[in-house]
Amino acid sequence: MVYYDNKEFNTDIEYEVYILNKYLSIHYGQDNAVKLITANKSDLDKLAKALGAEDIGFFCLYFMSDTFVVKDTNVARQLSEGHYELWEIANSIFIKDEYDKAAVIEPRGFAKTTIFDMAAATWLHCYKKSLFTLIGAKTDTDSVQFLDSIKKVLNENKKIIRNFGRLVDPKKFKVNANEMELTNGTYLRTVGSGTSVRGANWGGIRPTVFIGDDFQDEKNILTEEARIKHYNKWTKEIEQVGDKAVYRNGIKIKSATKVIAIGTVLHVDCLMSRLSRNNDYYTVLKRAIILKENQNVDDIFESELWIKCKQIYFDDKLEKEERKRKAYEFYKNNIEKMKFPTLWEEKWDCFNDLAIPYWENRQAFMSEMMNDASSIGEKWFKSVRTQTSEEIENHTFTKTMLCIDPASTTSKKSDYTAMGVGSKADNDFTYIRDLVMKKLSFEQYCKKAVDLLVKWIDITHIQIEKNTYQGADVLKIQELILKEPSLKGRRFEWINKMQKQNKDEKISTVVDPVNNGQIIINSECEDSNEAVEQIKDFQGQQYTLHDDFIDMVAELENGLKNIQVVNKVIFLDKRKLGL
């Protein structure tokens, strides 16, 4: 059974006649469609091949229906309007020759690679519309996978083989992980973003199409220098890899090399963001959630019912396994009021696929699903959950650490020394049971650290950033511990290492746990109010005066995750068992 346009077809031939009629009617009118089908009823593939040359969407729906059309024999999903728009854009670029450069910015998981990389490349080479297609990806491994997907279609799609011939012949033509010469005199090659493409050619032919699919990586956006370098590589190398259009007597006799960038927005000044603002590029930018005018994502997820749903999902009084189940039950019971329009309703469930990723990692969600990096420079932390000492100490803790981010001076402009006694509870939440955020001298800081060790007898690990004192503080604290009678016999595991990780990247790992109330701070410590305010003021390292406390919280949370809990083995007296 084939399912398309809310219709059911018992056989592939019934579906093929339907799709032929639909697209012939679009291009030539209903009457001509019927005449053409009748005249070619003995060889519909011949008619479909001719029509496929004029419409990439039709080619995909007819010759690649196993990929794009729902059948009992596959796991395809119903396509959305956005997918048909992508095919129309491909028609405008490759058939109508309206654009030479395009930036296709779609949410992660929207099948943009399948449509604009695998399917478009297959069409280009079946019809010899591109003699040399160069496909770029962020890594060599990704680029190999892209070529494999095209190779698989050309090797296994019987309808394509029957109508376009066997295009892959490794016995007579070069076929390997990164390149493929086809039997019809065309060529595909793939490269990673770190590979130079200067002077790329095949038998004297320069690339006629370049498709950069997820051509940027996280490492390309971490610093301003990295972002500039990656954009310059694109404009100075990728855009110059092919040929310009050729005109004769005012008539274009050869099109320019087509340059297509496909991906998501990772930063306000990443490659895709800058290309979207480049007037030389035709740009399509879509978001997973379809917003109304002047509406944003926060308007949806901060509405009354979604807030209640989130509170259930992060309720520390519930068992971990219960939270998601009960939150989803709440959503299902209120689905008519909570559901919102999405770009691909067949695929994305509002709760599981959009709300949870938003709660768990808002920054990644806004980037990869909403293609929105405008929050750069905004405050990262929307809320900080606090509890009293009595509320916190009612929990059962599985591991406890003292984490310290020391500062070397005590002037007005100097950083704070930030200390936190943090514990993981059996509900998997983190509780900062005690904290210090002051401008302390070396001696004051070391003495305060020992005071905390005396106060909290379940501390087993001490983590101190090495960058400031290069380990001298660790030796001083250990010296003071030997002089403190109450610490006699206590054993500590020391973690004293240089911090080399990008600070914003590190702090980003705790944004959602803090916002969602999974990291809870004692509200009754002397420095609690100032520490909480410092967290709320954080806008990224570049835009924040003091980030000491939240930096320590990130180290504490990640440090606790790395502590391995070894359960004690309890031996029972056999006599108590009657043995």
Side-chain angles (χ1 to χ4, degrees), residues 403-407 416-420 436-438 534 548-550 552:
C403 187
I404 303 173
D405 182 3
Y416 290 83
T417 293
M419 306 184 189
V436 174
M437 195 182 78
K438 295 183 184 298
Q534 194 183 97
D548 316 294
F549 194 76
I550 189 57
M552 183 277 296

Side-chain angles (χ1 to χ4, degrees), residues 108-381:
R108 185 76 62 194
F110 190 63
K112 55 187 178 294
T113 294
T114 305
I115 286 178
F116 233 107
D117 188 325
M118 185 268 284
T122 299
W123 179 88
L124 284 167
H125 287 271
C126 280
Y127 288 100
K128 298 182 65 173
K129 298 294 185 180
S130 174
L131 295 179
F132 176 8
T133 298
L134 188 59
I135 299 175
K138 58 177 175 282
T139 66
D140 289 329
T141 301
D142 289 336
S143 70
V144 168
Q145 290 176 349
F146 292 159
L147 189 63
D148 281 345
S149 66
I150 299 168
K151 194 182 303 179
K152 182 179 175 66
V153 173
L154 298 179
N155 271 326
E156 299 179 6
N157 188 307
K158 294 179 181 178
K159 193 175 290 186
I160 286 179
I161 294 172
R162 187 168 65 243
N163 288 278
F164 295 93
R166 189 167 288 280
L167 298 178
V168 181
D169 185 354
K171 293 181 179 180
K172 296 182 179 179
F173 297 89
K174 183 185 292 186
V175 178
N176 56 46
N178 294 101
E179 54 187 340
M180 184 165 60
E181 290 182 339
L182 301 183
T183 60
N184 65 356
T186 65
Y187 174 72
L188 293 100
R189 177 182 158 198
T190 61
V191 294
S193 62
T195 303
S196 175
V197 298
R198 292 183 185 275
N201 75 86
W202 172 64
I205 299 173
R206 301 182 72 180
T208 43
V209 173
F210 178 88
I211 301 175
D213 193 336
D214 273 338
F215 199 68
Q216 60 186 5
D217 200 354
E218 292 291 339
K219 68 178 183 293
N220 302 129
I221 66 165
L222 287 179
T223 65
E224 183 179 6
E225 181 183 5
R227 294 189 292 271
I228 293 173
K229 181 179 179 182
H230 198 53
Y231 183 68
N232 286 345
K233 176 184 175 70
W234 183 275
T235 55
K236 293 179 180 180
E237 191 173 319
I238 301 301
E239 289 184 359
Q240 306 305 319
V241 75
D243 285 323
K244 307 299 181 184
V246 177
Y247 291 87
R248 190 166 296 161
N249 298 322
I251 299 173
K252 184 188 291 187
I253 61 171
K254 180 185 176 183
S255 297
T257 293
K258 306 297 184 183
V259 177
I260 317 296
I262 306 169
T264 56
V265 168
L266 300 180
H267 186 278
V268 70
D269 281 324
C270 72
L271 173 65
M272 296 306 296
S273 292
R274 295 187 69 170
L275 291 180
S276 72
R277 300 192 294 268
N278 187 324
N279 292 331
D280 201 23
Y281 279 75
Y282 175 81
T283 299
V284 56
L285 190 153
K286 298 287 185 178
R287 311 185 195 282
I289 299 176
I290 299 174
L291 300 172
K292 300 175 184 176
E293 189 175 355
N294 298 322
Q295 184 186 40
N296 60 46
V297 175
D298 297 330
D299 293 334
I300 293 173
F301 290 119
E302 292 179 9
S303 60
E304 183 179 356
L305 290 175
W306 276 110
I307 287 176
K308 289 181 180 178
C309 190
K310 177 182 176 181
Q311 289 170 343
I312 298 170
Y313 184 79
F314 291 104
D315 189 348
D316 63 338
K317 297 181 180 64
L318 295 174
E319 293 293 330
K320 186 176 181 180
E321 294 73 21
E322 283 187 289
R323 296 170 196 158
K324 181 177 179 179
R325 179 176 59 81
K326 287 184 174 292
Y328 190 59
E329 286 177 1
F330 179 86
Y331 167 71
K332 295 295 285 186
N333 291 335
N334 296 277
I335 191 169
E336 294 303 320
K337 295 180 181 178
M338 295 177 70
K339 190 176 181 181
F340 45 78
T342 67
L343 192 62
W344 195 1
E345 294 198 4
E346 182 75 12
K347 181 174 183 178
W348 290 321
D349 173 80
C350 293
F351 177 84
N352 288 299
D353 301 310
L354 298 172
I356 289 179
Y358 172 84
W359 292 332
E360 295 288 1
N361 192 335
R362 182 183 182 277
Q363 186 177 13
F365 178 85
M366 293 302 292
S367 168
E368 297 198 340
M369 299 304 291
M370 297 303 292
N371 285 308
D372 182 359
S374 61
S375 60
I376 301 295
E378 289 185 2
K379 294 183 178 180
W380 289 25
F381 299 93

